[in-house]
Structure formats: structure tokens, C-alpha cells
Amino acid sequence: MSERYLFNDADWLSVENHQHKLICDEILNFDAQRILTSPLEDLCDYFAQKYALEIPQLQKEHAVADQEEREIDISGDPRRYWHSPGPHYVRGTEVSLTVPFSGDPEFFKIRPSTFSANPPLGVIVDQTLILRIAGASLDAAAVKQQLDDDIRKVETYLINLRSTVDLYNISIRERARQQLTARRAKLLADQNLVAELGYPLRERQGIPRTYAAPEVRRIIKPSLPPQGTQPFKPEPALTSKDYEHILGVLQNMVEVMERSPSAFNTMGEEGLRSHFLVQLNGHYQGQATGETFNYSGKTDILLRVDGRNIFIGECKFWDGPKKFRETLNQILSYSSWRDTKVAIILFNRTKNFSAVLTAIPPAVEEHPNFKRWMPISGETRFRCVLSHKTDAAREMIVTILAFDVPT
């Protein structure tokens, strides 16, 4: 193959604009059900990985040289005078250096934003760069110097490309998120699913403020969940605001326990759970039942609306990482397909609470359904995302509230 100028076919800006158009077009034509039912972060990961670009990296340590005799046109040699225009050939030598590389070979066609008027010459064959030097009488030192200079020039172009491509790769995720969010909103609007369903939970009036309570009283308005992989049927769901308020009520109750440990140090899980239920039912009232929060079977704290679970809580004493992962399994086992917000109230009666807090994150990460952490304030609070047992595309938010309740 003949040599050609590298980095000379298209400029980076046109390539970047083309990539952005590809992302936008694919999201606009992406399967609607997958957009509605797949976790947003998973879709962002997909597009970030699919459209990420990899700049070639020369593997100079594996470069190999070769030489062969061939006819060389010396018509352009200024030291020679010709009576005819040529070409004029002599028997000479060609030295080639083959340098393998990783990454996308198409980048050897792209001109970076910073470039010179004299781009390097070379040949790209599969995942190798071939540099050639030919002459009637070659000097080894001069050939090596020329090859080293050519490699440095190629690497300079790759470095200039990498600085801009790295910024592009970082931007893919946010660009995809914006496009996906807009598409999802449109799909939901098209199906009249944007408005929240009217499943309010009325707060009881005039309750005694035995425990610390928030300043703003809450009315739970479950919102429509996104359409799932199953045929869609409108069901209540707990809003993030109400979820945080319920966790705040639980937090306030445990702070009472921490301030008065002697009143609770002999209680088991069921006794402690009852105190949470009393406090929660003092804040919220259901549509048809007096006790909005209850417990059923092995579920410790359960909030139901129209026969549907919208909040699940589990009270447990810390008994090591293995037992804690069993608690995660337990929550997954009795959570239905639409349960998306749960909580674990974890009590510690060991002497080293700091060691417990250190052990919680790795115990969670080792669970096969763990997907990622979510931000949450507080040294004793953790929040993660688990995938549902029966549907990997469905996500469950799990908040872990850890408390030290000395014996």
C-alpha cells in the first residue's frame, strides 16, 4: 500500500458533531418500552460505553523493522541533473517500521484542533502503523533518526486528539441523560402518565407531639410509576419527598432511644418495631384504615395504599456481614415488582459501632443485586440501589439507618 498523509481527512469538530447527532438520533428512535422501564443510569451507561471513542496508543515496544530492495524514483534528487522529465529509477533500499497500536484506527484520518502544515506520512493496516524510508544509499543512523522523528510527530497528533476526545467522552453521559430524560417525559406525557395519581394519606390532626416532629406536616401523594415490562396498570407509588419524611420520623424515634437507652435496652426487634409503628401512625392516616402502617408476616414495617405496598421497612440487630446480606435477601424476597423504596433500621448492641459502620458498605457491595451507591448525608446513613429479584431492569432504593442502642 502506498503512503498517504495521516490526520488529514476530516477535522475533529465535524467528527464530534456527527457523534452527537448519532446519539441524539438513536435516543429519538430508541424502543419506547426500554426507555420507560430501564433504569436511567443503566441507559446512560449504555450510551456512554457505546459512543466512547478510544484514541490509538502506539505500542512502540513491539515495533519491528524490515528492509527490501526495490526500484526507487530519484527524479526529485536535487543533486542530479536529468535531460528528460523522468521518472528515473535506480535500485535502492526501503526500510519499514511496523508499530502496532490499540484503539480506533479511524483516528489516523482525523485532524486535531492543533496541527501542523506538514502532517506525517504512513500506512495503516489493521491495527498497525507502517512508516517507510527509501533511498539509493541509506545510512543507519540517519534512518533511525528519521523514524524516531516520524514516531514523535505521530504521537504529538495523537496527544492533541486525546485532549479533546477525553472531554467528549466525559460529556456523553450528561448529553445522553438530557436526551433520555426529555424522551421519557414526552413518552409519559403521550400516555397521560405525568400527573400524579390521587392516593393521598391524610395526616391525623391534633396528635400529641411526644417525639420530635418536622415543622411541615405531610400528605403522601403516590405518583404514577413508569410503565414496566408487564402490561401497565396505574398503581400508587411513594414520592421521594414522602420517603424522606418517613425516614425522618424513624430517625427521630431512634434519637429518642439513644438519649434514653435504659428504656429500650431489653427490647427485642418486635418491641422496638412497635414503637416505630406508633410514631408513624401518629403522623399518617390512610384512606380506609385507621392504622396506615402495620406489619404482616415477616415484614417489619409496611405502608399500604389500596392494597398495594408503597413502603417496606425492616428492623434488625447487627449480627455480622453475612446476616446483614441475608436481611437484604429477605427484603428482596417479599418485595413485589413495584416496590421501589425500602428501609433497613439497623440496631447495634456491640461495643464497636465504628467497626459496624465500616463493615456495612462492603457487605452491601458483595450482594449480587447491588448496582450503585446514592448520595445521602450522615455518617450512620447509607443508600444504595439494588435490582429486583424478578426483573433486573427494575430498581429498588434501599436506605440503611444504623443506630447504636447500648445494652
Side-chain angles (χ1 to χ4, degrees):
M1 297 179 63
S2 60
E3 286 185 305
R4 59 191 299 273
Y5 284 111
L6 303 175
F7 308 105
N8 200 47
D9 289 9
D11 63 273
W12 163 247
L13 183 59
S14 63
V15 173
E16 183 178 30
N17 290 336
H18 178 67
Q19 289 294 112
H20 288 161
K21 186 177 185 304
L22 289 178
I23 297 171
C24 181
D25 288 347
E26 180 169 355
I27 292 176
L28 286 176
N29 295 283
F30 209 66
D31 180 71
Q33 283 295 316
R34 185 171 293 276
I35 285 183
L36 288 173
T37 58
S38 298
L40 178 61
E41 295 303 318
D42 288 358
L43 288 174
C44 290
D45 287 341
Y46 165 78
F47 284 100
Q49 293 170 11
K50 179 175 181 178
Y51 288 96
L53 300 177
E54 183 183 1
I55 298 296
Q57 180 73 42
L58 297 184
Q59 299 170 353
K60 294 182 292 184
E61 67 277 13
H62 299 299
V64 293
D66 195 9
Q67 61 80 31
E68 64 174 346
E69 280 190 310
R70 72 174 180 87
E71 296 294 315
I72 298 173
D73 182 8
I74 58 174
S75 302
D77 188 343
R79 297 170 298 176
R80 299 174 184 266
Y81 176 76
W82 310 103
H83 295 286
S84 60
H88 302 279
Y89 292 97
V90 298
R91 197 70 172 171
T93 304
E94 179 183 85
V95 175
S96 63
L97 182 68
T98 301
V99 186
F101 61 84
S102 60
D104 189 347
E106 289 298 308
F107 272 102
F108 286 100
K109 301 177 182 178
I110 299 172
R111 184 169 59 251
S113 55
T114 302
F115 59 93
S116 68
N118 184 28
L121 286 166
V123 180
I124 303 299
V125 179
D126 297 327
Q127 292 294 123
T128 61
L129 164 68
I130 302 174
L131 302 174
R132 294 171 177 168
I133 297 177
S137 178
L138 296 178
D139 175 74
V143 169
K144 184 178 187 311
Q145 180 64 49
Q146 182 63 52
L147 290 173
D148 288 345
D149 291 343
D150 288 346
I151 289 178
R152 277 193 292 269
K153 184 182 289 188
V154 169
E155 287 189 317
T156 298
Y157 271 75
L158 293 176
I159 290 171
N160 292 338
L161 279 171
R162 187 171 291 110
S163 63
T164 52
V165 170
D166 285 348
L167 294 176
Y168 158 79
N169 285 339
I170 293 172
S171 72
I172 299 174
R173 188 179 187 84
E174 185 57 33
R175 181 175 292 271
R177 186 194 307 278
Q178 293 173 2
Q179 297 289 334
L180 287 166
T181 301
R183 176 91 195 282
R184 178 176 287 181
K186 182 182 183 303
L187 291 171
L188 291 173
D190 289 344
Q191 299 181 39
N192 296 319
L193 295 180
V194 172
E196 293 184 347
L197 291 179
Y199 293 98
L201 294 179
R202 297 185 301 276
E203 185 177 358
R204 297 180 190 272
Q205 300 299 316
I207 61 168
R209 303 196 175 207
T210 306
Y211 305 103
E215 295 180 2
V216 179
R217 310 301 288 264
R218 304 290 182 181
I219 299 176
I220 294 181
K221 295 181 179 180
S223 60
L224 274 173
Q227 183 170 341
T229 54
Q230 304 175 16
F232 177 75
K233 179 181 178 181
E235 295 190 21
L238 191 66
T239 66
S240 296
K241 182 181 293 186
D242 290 320
Y243 180 52
E244 295 298 339
H245 181 258
I246 290 171
L247 296 177
V249 173
L250 299 176
Q251 176 87 32
N252 291 335
M253 181 63 220
V254 174
E255 288 176 358
V256 171
M257 294 180 178
E258 290 177 332
R259 288 194 296 267
S260 306
S262 60
F264 303 95
N265 58 12
T266 59
M267 288 186 182
E269 290 175 0
E270 185 172 349
L272 292 171
R273 172 184 58 197
S274 298
H275 282 275
F276 287 109
L277 290 171
V278 170
Q279 174 68 352
L280 288 168
N281 282 313
H283 280 267
Y284 294 105
Q285 176 183 339
Q287 289 179 308
T289 63
E291 297 300 308
T292 297
F293 286 86
N294 57 71
Y295 55 90
S296 173
K298 294 183 178 181
T299 305
D300 276 351
I301 300 173
L302 184 64
L303 170 58
R304 296 172 68 83
V305 174
D306 286 354
R308 300 292 184 179
N309 301 344
I310 66 171
F311 175 84
I312 291 175
E314 183 73 20
C315 296
K316 287 292 181 182
F317 284 105
W318 173 260
D319 192 21
K322 182 179 178 181
K323 289 290 185 181
F324 181 69
R325 282 192 293 273
E326 291 177 2
T327 300
L328 295 176
N329 286 334
Q330 185 177 347
I331 279 187
L332 289 170
S333 67
Y334 57 57
S335 296
S336 70
W337 183 77
R338 291 198 183 278
D339 293 329
T340 57
K341 295 182 177 70
V342 301
I344 298 175
I345 302 97
L346 191 63
F347 299 104
N348 172 61
R349 280 183 172 167
T350 67
K351 292 183 178 180
N352 193 342
F353 188 39
S354 296
V356 172
L357 297 177
T358 302
I360 290 174
V364 174
E365 292 171 358
E366 290 173 8
H367 194 280
N369 290 73
F370 172 79
K371 296 190 71 172
R372 63 182 179 276
W373 290 106
M374 294 181 67
I376 189 172
S377 60
E379 294 180 336
T380 63
R381 294 156 60 94
F382 307 87
R383 179 167 293 169
C384 67
V385 174
L386 302 181
S387 59
H388 270 266
K389 249 186 148 179
T390 58
D391 188 347
R394 292 286 293 178
E395 293 187 334
M396 174 190 298
I397 297 174
V398 181
T399 299
I400 303 159
L401 307 176
F403 303 102
D404 197 30
V405 183
T407 57

